[in-house]
Amino acid sequence: MHFIKRPSWDTVKSSDITPESVFNDRRNIIKALGLGAIGASIPGQVQAGIFDLFGKSQPSTPFITSPLAFTVNKGFESSEAKTPFSKVSTHNNFYEFGTSKSDPVENAQGFKVDPWSLVIDGEVDNPITLGFEDLTKMMALEERTYRLRCVEAWSMVVPWVGFPLAALLKKAGVNSRAKYVAFETLFDPDQMPGQKSRLMGGGIHYPYVEGLTLAEAMNDLSFLAVGLYGKSLPPQNGAPIRLVVPWKYGFKSIKSLVRIRVMDKRPPTSWNQLAPQEYGFYANVNPDVDHPRWSQATERRIGEGGLFSATRIKTRPFNGYQEQVADLYRDLDLRRNY
Ligand SMILES: Nc1nc2c(c(=O)[nH]1)N[C@H]1C(S)=C(S)[C@@H](COP(=O)(O)O)O[C@H]1N2
Ligand SMILES: [Mo]
């Protein structure tokens, strides 16, 4: 009996890939627990214990999202079909809630986002702390439809609601030492089971951290989303506030932010720390630079029919945003700086 979901790359060809480290990590933990090979007969009680570790046994009442007031940014309307909300909110990567695509929606419904506190500090003249209400009230909200391209070679088109990261950084007043911006997700293992066990958390050292150069952070595309499809974010998509950097692989778009720290040095980033040969600091979408274990030339666009009927399309440099961002990398060898 298979009580462990096989990694998606094992059953969905090579196209929708869970990083291999996750699978190996699960095997090692099963071994460490003395349970032998996956699929071996395991007493019922022990199985139930493992089941709990994956967080599948908790019943959940759905998280409540609320409508937001915003204007549509005409510059970011899309001619492409949007990925339906039913897919955007059920096919997720949020390892704090489990490593399979369906884990976040199943495990995050009880997530508490009010009260919340987001700190903007470091190399700034006026550090800011935003409370839960401030997240949707302090800045004028706009809707922007962006493509999201995961490093695992699937993609979506999502109407986000939020505000440019640069607007918030300008309020904080970035000083002359500033070169990078670091981002940090909430650390709360009681709420985020993936932070409790390496089995659930994919081997990442929590809290999940990310980073951008200051120029990237100040680019108009860099966006802080507080909602999608006109309503506040569901927890599985990074409630109450997450970063969206559409020209980079999805793992840069860090969720459920509690800190934005302006720095004079390049900050560590979670996937780069875990597997530096596979995941770089820049992580710009680039069809010409393959992941060591799979091609990045094409992607599966998730639409009405979902992953299995998704259409395969060509991946574009910078995810199609080259006009807005290519200039940032004029002097950079993108093959070395993947
Ligand atoms: N804190 C945190 N942020 C995260 C992740 C995560 O596991 N933890 N996964 C990343 C990855 S790999 C992707 S593809 C996107 C997915 O965003 P979505 O679930 O809203 O589509 O979130 C990114 N942000
Ligand atoms: Mo991703």
Side-chain angles (χ1 to χ4, degrees):
M1 183 199 144
H2 289 268
F3 55 91
I4 290 175
K5 279 191 185 153
R6 308 191 87 187
S8 44
W9 49 262
D10 207 17
T11 50
V12 194
K13 298 182 231 155
S14 62
S15 37
D16 181 40
I17 301 136
T18 296
E20 197 163 25
S21 55
V22 172
F23 187 51
N24 291 336
D25 196 45
R26 288 185 175 189
R27 294 182 90 125
N28 289 337
I29 286 160
I30 297 290
K31 262 194 223 148
L33 290 172
L35 298 176
I38 291 169
S41 83
I42 290 163
Q45 255 177 331
V46 178
Q47 269 190 34
I50 298 291
F51 214 58
D52 286 343
L53 271 177
F54 282 103
K56 295 293 188 207
S57 56
Q58 282 108 5
S60 55
T61 46
F63 181 93
I64 310 285
T65 59
S66 355
L68 296 168
F70 59 90
T71 57
V72 176
N73 186 326
K74 299 259 189 258
F76 296 102
E77 283 177 312
S78 174
S79 55
E80 294 168 287
K82 291 182 180 104
T83 302
F85 177 80
S86 60
K87 296 297 184 315
V88 174
S89 61
T90 58
H91 177 276
N92 300 102
N93 275 335
F94 200 169
Y95 278 23
E96 286 85 337
F97 292 104
T99 53
S100 78
K101 298 289 176 282
S102 58
D103 282 338
V105 65
E106 288 175 25
N107 296 331
Q109 296 310 302
F111 190 52
K112 295 204 174 39
V113 297
D114 184 8
W116 193 265
S117 163
L118 167 61
V119 176
I120 300 94
D121 68 354
E123 303 292 353
V124 295
D125 297 328
N126 325 297
I128 301 176
T129 301
L130 299 181
F132 177 75
E133 293 277 314
D134 303 325
L135 300 175
T136 51
K137 303 254 154 72
M138 193 157 128
M139 317 292 290
L141 300 182
E142 56 181 86
E143 182 181 72
R144 294 186 180 194
T145 300
Y146 281 162
R147 292 175 286 277
L148 175 81
R149 175 34 164 102
C150 177
V151 75
E152 297 164 332
W154 53 265
S155 64
M156 295 186 178
V157 178
V158 183
W160 302 105
V161 177
F163 52 87
L165 172 61
L168 186 59
L169 291 175
K170 278 175 196 152
K171 258 194 204 296
V174 169
N175 73 29
S176 60
R177 286 183 298 278
K179 291 206 177 77
Y180 292 91
V181 183
F183 303 85
E184 192 175 310
T185 293
L186 178 70
F187 183 72
D188 185 353
D190 286 341
Q191 291 210 74
M192 295 172 146
Q195 296 178 335
K196 257 191 256 201
S197 95
R198 294 197 59 219
L199 184 62
M200 274 287 284
I204 285 174
H205 299 281
Y206 292 103
Y208 193 105
V209 287
E210 258 307 332
L212 298 172
T213 67
L214 184 64
E216 290 174 333
M218 288 300 194
N219 186 278
D220 181 51
L221 285 179
S222 294
F223 199 63
L224 288 171
V226 296
L228 56 82
Y229 274 102
K231 290 176 139 194
S232 56
L233 287 175
Q236 59 272 28
N237 295 95
I241 185 163
R242 58 95 56 90
L243 181 66
V244 185
V245 269
W247 74 96
K248 293 177 178 286
Y249 291 122
F251 65 84
K252 299 294 289 183
S253 292
I254 178 173
K255 296 177 170 180
S256 303
L257 289 169
V258 293
R259 189 172 201 182
I260 298 175
R261 183 165 205 182
V262 180
M263 298 182 64
D264 58 355
K265 285 195 263 310
R266 185 191 286 190
T269 57
S270 285
W271 279 97
N272 179 247
Q273 279 181 312
L274 188 67
Q277 328 71 354
E278 303 193 358
Y279 310 103
F281 173 80
Y282 287 95
N284 293 319
V285 174
N286 191 341
D288 299 328
V289 176
D290 287 339
H291 185 280
R293 291 183 281 118
W294 60 84
S295 165
Q296 295 292 28
T298 63
E299 67 202 50
R300 288 165 47 109
R301 174 61 57 81
I302 300 177
E304 289 289 343
L307 194 62
F308 294 93
S309 60
T311 18
R312 185 162 282 287
I313 57 173
K314 277 192 164 162
T315 289
R316 296 155 72 189
F318 300 110
N319 201 22
Y321 298 99
Q322 60 270 58
E323 219 175 280
Q324 292 95 322
V325 298
D327 223 34
L328 293 169
Y329 310 104
R330 254 187 333 245
D331 305 321
L332 207 67
D333 177 348
L334 294 174
R335 218 161 256 289
R336 292 169 134 260
N337 297 281
Y338 51 90

